[in-house]
Amino acid sequence: MTETVNVQDAKTRLSELLARVERGEEFILARNGRPIATLRALDPLPRRQLGFAPGPALPESFWDPLTDDELDEWGT
């Protein structure tokens, strides 16, 4: 059964309540005995995959060194 906790009590016991939430418990927060919110754990976020976004295929010549004329155009 979900425990109801008054907001004022939750303020003073927040660290304890969060530790219990991490262990899987849920709480209903109430003001003057009236439920206003639920305190529960979030689903873990999926781990982000690093890498490049897919794009157009590059020709092999893309990796060739620039010619002297091309380098001059770039000001190098």
Side-chain angles (χ1 to χ4, degrees):
M1 183 169 179
T2 305
E3 184 179 336
T4 300
V5 180
N6 192 5
V7 172
Q8 188 62 37
D9 189 30
K11 285 182 184 180
T12 59
R13 299 175 40 211
L14 185 59
S15 293
E16 172 201 338
L17 294 175
L18 289 176
R20 291 173 61 183
V21 165
E22 288 178 320
R23 291 191 300 263
E25 294 184 54
E26 291 187 7
F27 297 92
I28 295 174
L29 299 178
R31 182 178 290 129
N32 298 324
R34 184 173 167 209
I36 58 171
T38 303
L39 181 62
R40 64 178 177 84
L42 295 175
D43 294 330
L45 295 174
R47 191 174 171 114
R48 292 180 70 171
Q49 200 69 346
L50 297 178
F52 294 102
L58 297 174
E60 270 308 305
S61 62
F62 177 83
W63 304 106
D64 292 346
L66 296 176
T67 65
D68 289 337
D69 291 337
E70 291 169 325
L71 289 172
D72 288 340
E73 289 178 24
W74 283 95
T76 60

